[in-house]
Amino acid sequence: AQTVTQSQPEMSVQEAETVTLSCTYDTSESNYYLFWYKQPPSRQMILVIRQEAYKQQNATENRFSVNFQKAAKSFSLKISDSQLGDTAMYFCALMNYGGSQGNLIFGKGTKLSVKP
Amino acid sequence: DAGVIQSPRHEVTEMGQEVTLRCKPISGHNSLFWYRQTMMRGLELLIYFNNNVPIDDSGMPEDRFSAKMPNASFSTLKIQPSEPRDSAVYFCASSDIGGAEYNEQFFGPGTRLTVL
């Protein structure tokens, strides 16, 4: 079975500081992607960053970066220079690819609060 | 592009009533996904279609739930009869699977269903 685990239900960080959200996963597939989605109070799901499993280099998108440890099946998200607008639920997700596969498997989420 | 469109945005109904949720995927996308989000279970896949054909409906909770995709531009998720435990946010997402190795899923704004 494929699973995604986020062990931190809630976290808080001061504005302008750095925070890291944890995620571990389990899959028997060799080809997969990992994602972090942001869900603000508007409940819209917004893709923050993605990582291809075959790439060793960690993905980076502006203030967001990941630490992908394939052997440990770990995929953490680092948010630098936190902003008030980063306050949201963050979901880690796994997608196997190939053929007609393409559904996302989500973790339970981490609620991040950025404090002024 | 208008993105994935869902209607209604909010639905309040009484136990035992039939509920129909609607989704219009992004034009040109060949895959459509229905997810349900609850506090207890998080985000979980209910069913997904590829080229209008249901590929995996193992997430559909029981026979009260049914989904159809009569054409490439429309899908429905029906609950009959509805129960209070069906209260959740239901998301529709679409993607273009096949060919390119990466197929981002684009989410609609969700339908918040409350069953009294």
Side-chain angles (χ1 to χ4, degrees):
Chain A
Q2 297 157 95
T3 58
V4 177
T5 303
Q6 294 178 250
S7 59
Q8 306 151 314
E10 292 192 41
M11 294 189 72
S12 65
V13 63
Q14 290 295 129
E15 195 176 7
E17 294 188 347
T18 296
V19 64
T20 299
L21 280 57
S22 301
C23 173
T24 58
Y25 64 94
D26 191 20
T27 179
S28 57
E29 301 289 333
S30 57
N31 297 324
Y32 56 91
Y33 289 102
L34 293 162
F35 304 87
W36 280 97
Y37 279 86
K38 171 185 178 180
Q39 187 179 41
S42 67
R43 78 169 181 247
Q44 180 70 49
M45 294 292 288
I46 302 167
L47 179 63
V48 174
I49 198 167
R50 67 176 173 91
Q51 173 79 42
E52 292 90 336
Y54 64 85
K55 289 187 177 179
Q56 293 187 348
Q57 185 173 6
N58 290 323
T60 298
E61 288 287 343
N62 301 313
R63 298 183 294 108
F64 299 87
S65 61
V66 299
N67 183 5
F68 175 46
Q69 301 291 327
K70 190 172 184 178
K73 295 185 176 177
S74 170
F75 183 62
S76 61
L77 174 70
K78 185 172 80 171
I79 306 174
S80 303
D81 186 25
S82 297
Q83 300 176 0
L84 297 178
D86 296 333
T87 293
M89 285 289 292
Y90 287 82
F91 294 94
C92 179
L94 166 71
M95 177 197 289
N96 297 311
Y97 69 84
S100 62
Q101 296 183 88
N103 57 294
L104 290 161
I105 300 161
F106 288 93
K108 290 289 181 67
T110 296
K111 183 177 181 180
L112 177 67
S113 298
V114 180
K115 301 184 184 303
Chain B
D1 197 323
V4 176
I5 299 172
Q6 290 187 249
S7 64
R9 293 292 308 275
H10 304 274
E11 176 79 28
V12 180
T13 191
E14 293 188 347
M15 182 175 64
Q17 296 296 307
E18 176 181 301
V19 175
T20 299
L21 310 182
R22 297 172 176 79
C23 176
K24 177 179 170 54
I26 292 173
S27 177
H29 282 185
N30 61 10
S31 295
L32 183 141
F33 306 81
W34 282 101
Y35 294 91
R36 179 173 67 175
Q37 184 177 30
T38 62
M39 289 294 292
M40 289 297 293
R41 301 174 66 90
L43 272 155
E44 52 184 348
L45 178 73
L46 298 178
I47 185 170
Y48 81 91
F49 296 85
N50 183 254
N51 292 320
N52 310 339
V53 176
I55 301 300
D56 182 359
D57 66 354
S58 60
M60 296 286 265
E62 49 198 275
D63 291 346
R64 297 185 298 107
F65 285 69
S66 62
K68 295 182 179 179
M69 192 165 186
N71 56 61
S73 59
F74 184 66
S75 177
T76 59
L77 178 67
K78 184 178 293 187
I79 308 172
Q80 181 184 20
S82 59
E83 297 183 3
R85 59 193 170 116
D86 302 330
S87 297
V89 178
Y90 292 82
F91 286 99
C92 176
S94 73
S95 178
D96 183 21
I97 293 180
E101 65 174 14
Y102 170 60
N103 309 289
E104 180 176 350
Q105 284 190 27
F106 294 85
F107 282 78
T111 295
R112 180 177 293 279
L113 173 65
T114 302
V115 183
L116 303 174

